[in-house]
Amino acid sequence: MANGRAARWRPGARMLVWSVILLTTAVANALVEVMDAGRRGEDLGLWQPMIWELSSVTMILLTLPVLWSGCQRWPLHADTWKRRLPLYLLASVGWSLVHVTGMMGLRHLAYAALGYHYQDDATWPVRLMYEYLKDVRAFFTFVAIEHFFSWFGRRRQGEAHLLAAPDDAPPVDAVERPERFLVRKLGRDFLVATGDIEYAQAAGNYVNLRVRGHDYPLRSTMAALEERLDPALFVRAHRSWLVNVRHLVSIEPLDGGEALLHMDDGGRIPCSRRQLPSFRQALAVQGAA
C-alpha cells in the first residue's frame, strides 16, 4: 500500500540516521576515553569504553520509537506547550530511568560474557541523578528535533480544509457535498477537486487525502468525511480506507475472502470481505462504461 510504505519507510530512515549519528558519537567518545586514560598513565582497553558507550546507544535506540510516538500523540503547539510541558518533564524522568537501568544491565551482561565483573563506583541514587542531568538534555534535544521535522514535513506536505463560506456571499460549495477542498502548502492555497481525490486513509484525528501522489491531512473523522462525499464515487474499502472508484484499476483476491485494491497511482489498499462486492460492482460499471 502506498501510504503504508511511506509510514514504514519514514521511521526506518529516521532510525537509520540516528543509528549512524549515535554510533559514530559512541566510537569517538570511546577513543577519547582511552586517550584521556593514557594521559593519566592508566591502561584502559578500548573494549571497556566501547561497552559503556554502546550500552547507552542501544537503550536510546530502543526507546526512540516510543519517544517519537509520544511526540505525535501529544504535540507541542503554541496553544498547548504550557499545558503539556509538565507531561514531557515527567516523561523525561521515566525515559532516563529506563535508559539507565537498561544501560547498566547491558554492561553487566557484556562484562560477564567476557569473563569480567562490572563495578560501578557510584551509588544508585548518585548514578541516577548524574545520568538524568545528561539525559534530560538529550531527551529534549530529541523532542525538539522531532517536532521540527514534523512541522517541516507538514509544511511541505500541506493540509486540506473544507472551503469556508464567505462572510457576504453564498457558500462556494454546498455544505453537505463539497466539490472542492482548500489545500494549503508552503504558504500557498490551492483548490483541489473532490473528484481528484484518489483515496483517503484515517490517521488518528485526521484523514489523509491522496491527490496526485501527495497526502493532504484533513482534520476530520472518516465517518464524517464519508457522509460529505458522493457515495456513488467514494466507497468504503475498509474501516480506515475510502476509495474513489474512478481510480480503481483491479482487484486482487486474497485468502479468507479479502482483497487488495490496485489503484492507478500504484497504491494497494486492503478491502474487507464485506466491502468486496461493492468494488466488484464498481469495477464492472467502469468496464461497461
Side-chain angles (χ1 to χ4, degrees):
M1 291 173 288
N3 286 3
R5 284 196 300 268
R8 289 193 299 268
W9 276 105
R10 183 176 178 270
R14 183 170 47 179
M15 181 61 77
L16 177 61
V17 170
W18 275 115
S19 298
V20 171
I21 293 173
L22 293 173
L23 289 173
T24 302
T25 304
V27 172
N29 289 342
L31 291 173
V32 170
E33 288 277 359
V34 172
M35 290 187 288
D36 286 343
R39 283 197 295 267
R40 295 192 301 268
E42 301 173 2
D43 184 18
L44 179 65
L46 180 61
W47 66 272
Q48 293 190 76
M50 283 300 297
I51 288 178
W52 306 340
E53 295 294 332
L54 290 179
S55 62
S56 176
V57 167
T58 298
M59 291 307 303
I60 290 175
L61 291 176
L62 288 174
T63 56
L64 274 182
V66 178
L67 192 153
W68 292 332
S69 177
C71 289
Q72 295 172 4
R73 176 65 178 82
W74 296 284
L76 295 173
H77 297 308
D79 58 339
T80 63
W81 73 270
K82 290 183 180 179
R83 184 173 69 254
R84 289 178 176 170
L85 186 58
L87 176 65
Y88 275 82
L89 285 171
L90 183 61
S92 71
V93 175
W95 184 76
S96 181
L97 284 172
V98 172
H99 173 225
V100 176
T101 54
M103 175 181 71
M104 299 299 284
L106 289 176
R107 290 179 183 180
H108 281 285
L109 289 174
Y111 270 68
L114 296 173
Y116 295 91
H117 174 70
Y118 177 72
Q119 181 65 41
D120 186 15
D121 296 332
T123 62
W124 265 103
V126 173
R127 170 61 61 188
L128 290 173
M129 179 58 67
Y130 171 77
E131 294 293 342
Y132 178 72
L133 292 177
K134 295 190 301 180
D135 284 351
V136 68
R137 291 174 289 174
F139 177 88
F140 280 100
T141 298
F142 290 131
V143 168
I145 292 174
E146 172 64 16
H147 277 82
F148 171 77
F149 280 106
S150 295
W151 171 83
F152 184 71
R154 288 194 302 270
R155 291 278 294 175
R156 291 193 60 190
Q157 180 186 42
E159 187 171 1
H161 302 271
L162 286 168
L163 284 173
D167 294 335
D168 55 353
V172 176
D173 296 307
V175 176
E176 294 80 8
R177 192 65 53 81
E179 296 180 359
R180 292 177 290 270
F181 286 86
L182 180 67
V183 169
R184 176 175 290 273
K185 182 176 181 181
L186 296 177
R188 298 179 62 188
D189 292 332
F190 304 87
L191 287 177
V192 172
T194 303
D196 289 340
I197 298 173
E198 297 155 26
Y199 46 87
Q201 181 187 16
N205 295 327
Y206 288 83
V207 175
N208 287 323
L209 305 180
R210 185 74 167 182
V211 182
R212 292 187 287 274
H214 297 279
D215 293 319
Y216 298 104
L218 171 70
R219 192 170 184 83
S220 171
T221 64
M222 181 63 81
L225 176 64
E226 187 177 15
E227 289 181 359
R228 309 290 291 275
L229 298 178
D230 184 356
L233 189 61
F234 290 89
V235 180
R236 182 75 76 101
H238 189 271
R239 181 176 59 184
S240 301
W241 295 87
L242 190 65
V243 172
N244 184 340
V245 295
R246 290 180 180 172
H247 293 275
L248 176 64
V249 174
S250 63
I251 299 173
E252 178 186 350
L254 300 177
D255 294 338
E258 293 146 349
L260 280 179
L261 306 178
H262 291 258
M263 309 301 293
D264 57 10
D265 72 336
R268 295 181 298 165
I269 295 173
C271 182
S272 68
R273 181 170 49 189
R274 186 169 63 89
Q275 295 297 132
L276 186 55
S278 300
F279 281 96
R280 291 192 186 280
Q281 182 179 2
L283 197 61
V285 171
Q286 287 188 82

